[in-house]
Amino acid sequence: MKRFCLVTLGLAAPAFLIASIALLAAHIMENLVDGQIKEGTILRNNSEAFKFWEHPPIPLLLQVYFFNLTNPLEVLQGENPIVKEVGPYTYREWKSRRDVHILENGSKVSSFQPSTYYFERELSVGDPEVDRIRTVNLPAVTAMNMARNSPFRFPAELLLLAYQEDMFTTHTVEEILWGYTDKFLQAVHNFFPDVDPVFGYFKQMNATDDGEYVMLSGDKNYLDFTRVIEWNGKDKLDWWTTPSSNMINGTDGGTFHSLISKDEMIYIFSTDFCRSIYLTFEEELTVLGIPTYRFTPPLKIFANVSVNPDNAGFCVPAGHCMGSGILNVTGCKQGAPIFLSLPHFFHAEEKYVKSVEGMHPNKQNHDTFLDINPLTGVLVRANKRMQINVYVEMIPGFIQTGNIKTMPYPVMFVNESFVLDDANAGILRAALLESSLVQAVPFIMLALGIICGAVFLAVTYWPKGKKEEGNVDERAPLIRT
């Protein structure tokens, strides 16, 4: 029996060692895990990835912060605006895809994704139907900008005077976000029926979608998982002035491919920003017990053309460039002079921060980030932050503008956040543990090989002790004759 055990140990030790070295050298277990993950992140009908993509079980939180103007008369006399941040007003945002179609033998998927918003009183500072905010009068500013160099300039001046439209207006939070009937727009609507008399910054967002998306399923290349290739029937945009700036790159920001590395750029096509943006690796974090990589937009993406010439395509009209940190999206906002930035002009040039009293930019509250599990590509936590500004300036002939300074005037900023819920976080942790155990098999075999080898050598070559001979009396027979 002892000999059998020794032979078994002697054979097992090299077998474990050879097998473990072979597995490690060929990355067999690692490739096995990677293959399973790639196979699991394909948009196939009725798969877990497809169900999560089609009907996300976790809502987003949309928090809105307004900048309430406290010195409107002084602003019209050329002084800097003084604003007070008011918020958040929080809405729970549910997304679900509809009209889903599998295309080209499963290589593409088309869909619409409407969003529905529900107010969360417990997470808000007040009642949106009661709280009133003084801010810039966007319908009036838009009308002045459109009419300034057109035959409708004089009629626009008369209408603005007749309806006593001012540069600034006061409305409830509910009205500013979701819409109200504007008396000036109503008058314009009587002459131009295409003009909507109801205005609200988010009027077209609730219970509506932002267009049809066509995405790759990832069945041919895992890197293409949910990558957008068409939006509203187009494979490129037409708002910008160069081919590269009009490209549609990346996913829609809700899903990402698996096996993410630190040196890659995460592309997102954002209809809010009217362009594709990218984020780069910043740091490793643990969120909800899950290892993640944090990706943030680099400074380069906000830089002016003198720092980043690639941003020249976002100067509209061509050659008319804003300073760092400001994006003119007038072209994709039906001619409304809306300029986007990060909240409080974070990462923007100092002149914009100093032009408005009440701006206090900081990374913790105003930066955008994604926390992604690199193995699975699952989004664990995210904050997408964006500030809506209206470009204002003195326009000769329109007395409403007074002597106002030329600037992007801050109206509000939004924080759209996401955190994986406890149930799905637990599922992800279990999956990551399972994959870790599979990848640890070669190391376990290596350890067993070393242990078996050590036991075999110890038993085989350990020096055997000699029996003690004793003294003369001890060696004498027990019975003497």
Side-chain angles (χ1 to χ4, degrees), residues 13 448-459:
L448 289 174
I450 294 172
I451 293 171
C452 290
V455 173
F456 175 79
L457 293 174
V459 172

Side-chain angles (χ1 to χ4, degrees), residues 28-77:
I28 292 176
M29 305 310 292
E30 182 179 344
N31 291 337
L32 176 63
V33 170
D34 291 353
Q36 290 177 334
I37 290 174
K38 291 177 183 178
E39 187 68 18
T41 51
I42 297 176
L43 286 183
R44 289 197 182 100
N45 206 4
N46 295 321
S47 68
E48 290 301 318
F50 186 88
K51 293 176 183 176
F52 196 95
W53 170 83
E54 185 178 21
H55 300 294
I58 309 165
L60 307 177
L61 279 184
L62 180 72
Q63 296 173 300
V64 185
Y65 298 79
F66 290 90
F67 296 109
N68 189 48
L69 180 64
T70 62
N71 62 332
L73 296 179
E74 290 79 3
V75 172
L76 293 177
Q77 295 170 1

Side-chain angles (χ1 to χ4, degrees), residues 146-156:
M146 290 183 169
R148 64 193 301 180
N149 295 316
S150 78
F152 300 103
R153 178 191 180 101
F154 184 65

Side-chain angles (χ1 to χ4, degrees), residues 285-292 294 371 380-381 419-420 425 429:
L285 295 170
T286 299
V287 181
L288 303 175
I290 300 168
T292 65
R294 171 162 290 188
D371 291 338
V380 180
R381 182 174 62 185
V419 179
L420 197 65
R429 284 193 298 267

